[in-house]
Amino acid sequence: MCLFCEIIKGNIPSTKVYEDDRILAFKDINPVAPVHILIAPKEHIASANEINTDNSKYVAHIFEKIPEIAKAQGIESYRVINNCGSDAGQTVMHLHFHLIGGVELGEKII
Ligand code: AMP
Ligand code: ZN
C-alpha cells in the first residue's frame, strides 16, 4: 500500500488545497513552517529517480501550478524541496514536493 496513493484515492483523509486531474496538493500532517504543502502526481512515481520522458509531464505540471498554490496560501516567497531516497530523508515512496514558507527560512537548506 502506498500512503499517498490512498490519500489521492480518498481512502485516507487529507486537507486538500489544490486538485486537478493530474496532481493533488494537501497539507503536511507535521508542518515545519506556517505553510507546508505536499504536492504529488496522481500517477504513482516512487521517487525522483523514476522520472522519465513518459511521466515528466506530471513534474512539469506541478511546477506550473506551484505559483498558484503558493499564492492561494498567501505567499509568493517559498522553498520547494524533494527528498529522494533514504539518505535524503524520503519516508513516503511516492514522488512529492514540499512547498514550505510563511516564515523567514534563511538561506541554507541544511
Ligand atoms: P518525505 O520525508 O520527503 O518523504 O516527506 C513525507 C512527508 O509526508 C512528511 O513531511 C510527513 O509529515 C508527511 N506525511 C506523512 N503522513 C501524512 C499524512 N497522512 N498526511 C499528510 N502528510 C503526511
Ligand atoms: Zn503512490
Side-chain angles (χ1 to χ4, degrees):
M1 188 207 74
C2 169
L3 176 63
F4 286 0
C5 281
E6 295 301 317
I7 285 175
I8 288 161
K9 284 185 209 155
N11 295 335
I12 292 174
S14 68
T15 305
K16 298 177 183 180
V17 299
Y18 176 80
E19 181 173 23
D20 64 27
D21 58 327
R22 283 166 283 177
I23 64 173
L24 176 67
F26 55 100
K27 292 190 177 180
D28 196 294
I29 205 167
N30 187 20
V32 300
V35 175
H36 189 167
I37 304 298
L38 302 176
I39 312 169
K42 287 193 169 179
E43 177 174 300
H44 181 85
I45 302 168
S47 78
N49 282 333
E50 311 303 321
I51 297 170
N52 56 43
T53 51
D54 289 332
N55 63 27
S56 61
K57 59 182 181 281
Y58 290 95
V59 180
H61 189 60
I62 285 171
F63 277 82
E64 287 166 7
K65 288 295 173 184
I66 278 174
E68 184 183 318
I69 294 166
K71 196 170 183 187
Q73 296 297 313
I75 59 172
E76 55 183 25
S77 178
Y78 46 82
R79 185 167 288 153
V80 178
I81 295 174
N82 169 254
N83 297 322
C84 180
S86 55
D87 280 0
Q90 184 178 6
T91 57
V92 178
M93 294 305 289
H94 181 127
L95 179 68
H96 57 280
F97 295 87
H98 299 252
L99 172 64
I100 295 169
V103 69
E104 180 84 45
L105 291 166
E107 64 187 24
K108 291 187 176 175
I109 293 174
I110 54 173

